[in-house]
Amino acid sequence: MTKKSPVVFVTVLACLAALMPTSAYAYLDPGTGAFAVQSLIAAIAGGLIAIRAYGRRILGLFRRSKAPPESWPKDSSGNGHS
């Protein structure tokens, strides 16, 4: 006979407890819905502002230089190699 791990037993027991239907005697007034909508709008606006502020900096890390190799500064020997 094999011995089962107590972690498996606790996990199965927790899943069964989470799936059992229970009654929630809670009252959600209109202020709660308004708060949820306000939070969602604020999160979207904050995300858009963050993308607008830092988007070019982040994309700039992935872009290539537009300058052709001929315009790169040359070293003291004049051949353009370091």
Side-chain angles (χ1 to χ4, degrees):
M1 191 184 265
T2 61
K3 185 177 178 182
K4 301 249 181 186
S5 171
V7 175
V8 173
F9 178 72
V10 172
T11 304
V12 170
L13 192 63
C15 289
L16 288 175
L19 293 175
M20 294 182 77
T22 58
S23 298
Y25 299 104
Y27 174 70
L28 298 176
D29 62 349
T32 305
F35 181 72
V37 170
Q38 179 183 358
S39 299
L40 181 66
I41 292 171
I44 292 171
L48 290 174
I49 290 172
I51 290 171
R52 186 173 180 188
Y54 298 109
R56 289 186 182 174
R57 293 180 187 174
I58 293 172
L59 289 176
L61 296 173
F62 300 107
R63 290 191 181 137
R64 291 185 177 192
S65 175
K66 293 182 180 180
E70 294 81 26
S71 65
W72 291 352
K74 299 187 190 280
D75 62 358
S76 59
S77 65
N79 62 6
H81 298 287
S82 298

